[in-house]
Amino acid sequence: MEDTTLLSMADHLGPVAVALEWVVVLIELFAIAILLLGIVRFTGWFFSGEVMRRDAHERDHQLNRGRLALGRHILASLEVLIVADLIRTVLHLTLANIMLLGGLVLIRTFISFSLEYEMRALEKE
């Protein structure tokens, strides 16, 4: 498939485009930081339940709290990554980039709905 450029704002923005590319990288790094923070929080909840040798109910409760925290961080990072993808697509507007963005948004939306459903179920427990 030919990668036909529809409109490339990057060609018209010059040094601003380079700065925006770096902004996209920073946004992606921020999304990674959100995920890492979620892993740290989940690990804390997990070990709080497992290492403290609590009863089975309390361990499950702690694990569920950790899963909820991790789910919230995953959802937040997905939203941040969509912002980065939108900026990148606007800078380099090609049919392939638009299709890629559409696919990513669909996949992330499915993941978001699945996580939201699971998190609501965990909150009820």
Side-chain angles (χ1 to χ4, degrees):
M1 184 168 117
E2 187 177 314
D3 191 32
T4 306
T5 301
L6 301 175
L7 173 68
S8 179
M9 288 190 68
D11 294 340
H12 302 290
L13 294 176
V16 174
V18 175
L20 287 173
E21 289 287 349
W22 280 105
V23 167
V24 168
V25 170
L26 291 173
I27 292 170
E28 290 171 336
L29 289 172
F30 178 59
I32 292 169
I34 292 171
L35 287 172
L36 292 174
L37 179 61
I39 289 292
V40 168
R41 292 189 68 203
F42 174 79
T43 303
W45 287 114
F46 176 79
F47 283 120
S48 173
E50 293 296 323
V51 175
M52 299 305 215
R53 303 205 184 270
R54 297 181 173 154
D55 65 0
H57 176 71
E58 184 63 24
R59 278 197 306 265
D60 287 345
H61 182 69
Q62 291 296 91
L63 181 60
N64 285 345
R65 290 178 74 180
R67 289 174 64 197
L68 283 169
L70 182 58
R72 288 185 187 109
H73 283 82
I74 291 171
L75 288 172
S77 68
L78 287 174
E79 297 298 326
V80 171
L81 285 172
I82 287 174
V83 171
D85 289 336
L86 282 168
I87 295 170
R88 182 178 288 117
T89 300
V90 169
L91 284 174
H92 306 286
L93 197 57
T94 64
L95 190 54
N97 283 350
I98 292 171
M99 290 172 48
L100 177 65
L101 178 64
L104 289 173
V105 169
L106 284 175
I107 291 167
R108 290 176 183 161
T109 301
F110 174 75
I111 292 171
S112 293
F113 280 127
S114 299
L115 280 172
E116 285 285 343
Y117 178 79
E118 184 177 344
M119 288 170 49
R120 270 189 253 122
L122 285 173
E123 287 174 345
K124 290 179 183 177
E125 290 181 12

